[in-house]
Amino acid sequence: ICFPLMLSSLMVTAYFKLEVILIIRFLGDANAGYWGVLLLTLAPWFMLCSAISPILNHDLSKFKVDSFEYKRYLNKIFKYYICLSIFGISVNVLIIKMLLVKFLGSSYSGAVTISLIASLAITPIFLGSLQDVSIAHRGTTKVVLNKLIFGLPFSIILFSISIYYYNLIGGAISLVVSYYVTSIFSNFFFDRYFFKHTFAAIYGR
């Protein structure tokens, strides 16, 4: 059960490294530094998701996966996560606009705009974390690997084209698009269960 998740983690780690390599290759070292700041502004939200996941896992494990109670609780958590991610985007934007340059210095002002754009990825980060817990309960961890086999080539191609033609702004936009595609919309093909719950939570059903 854990092997697909382990392999997926290795693939994602390699992809993050590839992003930096591509930026250095096409845009130079300074822009790679700006990209590092962008990733730094998203890191706390990954950490928050990791901190919440064990609690969520404990609460969900009280119910049988195919029970009405499980689905109702999952739907409620969806709503909480969507609201929390919107709050996270707002906090991230305020911190970036008010404090990023103040703490890092004016030489990092080139990271402000791309970090603001990347803040929109916080929502799929939260939903992806919730999906990982759901997948583990259903024993379908190969879904994660299947999504990455589809998502990583898509992300690499989109990112390469974006930074080549539109510099770091294009890279930030492609990052957000990749997160939404791989964390939400690709579920239509690879995890229909989670896809239905996503939109049921959004539309309040």
Side-chain angles (χ1 to χ4, degrees):
I1 292 177
C2 292
F3 179 75
L5 295 177
M6 180 191 71
L7 188 57
S8 299
S9 297
L10 290 174
M11 293 169 65
V12 170
T13 301
Y15 171 71
F16 284 147
K17 180 65 175 177
L18 180 61
E19 280 185 343
V20 177
I21 292 172
L22 288 172
I23 291 174
I24 292 173
R25 171 67 178 82
F26 291 126
L27 304 177
D29 293 344
N31 284 299
Y34 296 151
W35 193 257
V37 173
L38 177 153
L39 296 177
L40 186 65
T41 64
L42 294 179
W45 306 104
F46 281 106
M47 295 170 65
L48 178 60
C49 288
S50 296
I52 295 174
S53 289
I55 301 169
L56 176 62
N57 175 63
H58 177 266
D59 290 344
L60 276 172
S61 63
K62 296 176 183 177
F63 312 108
K64 293 183 177 180
V65 174
D66 57 351
S67 68
F68 172 77
E69 290 80 8
Y70 184 95
K71 294 177 181 178
R72 182 177 64 180
Y73 191 80
L74 184 63
N75 189 277
K76 181 172 72 172
I77 296 300
F78 259 111
K79 292 181 172 64
Y80 287 157
Y81 264 39
I82 291 171
C83 292
L84 186 58
S85 69
I86 293 172
F87 171 76
I89 292 171
S90 302
V91 170
N92 226 45
V93 167
L94 286 175
I95 291 174
I96 291 166
K97 289 179 74 73
M98 296 173 62
L99 301 176
L100 191 146
V101 173
K102 185 175 181 178
F103 280 135
L104 298 181
S106 59
S107 60
Y108 282 94
S109 59
V112 172
T113 301
I114 60 171
S115 298
L116 290 173
I117 295 170
S119 296
L120 296 174
I122 291 174
T123 296
I125 287 172
F126 271 93
L127 295 184
S129 172
L130 176 57
Q131 184 178 15
D132 287 344
V133 174
S134 173
I135 284 173
H137 286 169
R138 287 180 279 135
T140 56
T141 51
K142 64 180 182 180
V143 168
V144 178
L145 188 57
N146 290 338
K147 287 176 62 179
L148 279 175
I149 290 172
F150 156 78
L152 285 185
F154 168 80
S155 299
I156 291 169
I157 294 170
L158 180 62
F159 185 77
S160 300
I161 293 173
S162 298
I163 63 171
Y164 183 80
Y165 287 104
Y166 303 106
N167 300 319
L168 284 186
I169 297 292
I173 294 172
S174 75
L175 179 144
V176 173
V177 171
S178 294
Y179 267 107
Y180 277 94
V181 169
T182 57
S183 297
I184 299 176
F185 296 106
S186 67
N187 290 329
F188 179 82
F189 301 102
F190 300 111
D191 193 356
R192 195 68 62 88
Y193 175 92
F194 199 80
F195 182 83
K196 290 179 180 178
H197 274 285
T198 302
F199 285 91
I202 291 173
Y203 292 110
R205 293 181 296 184

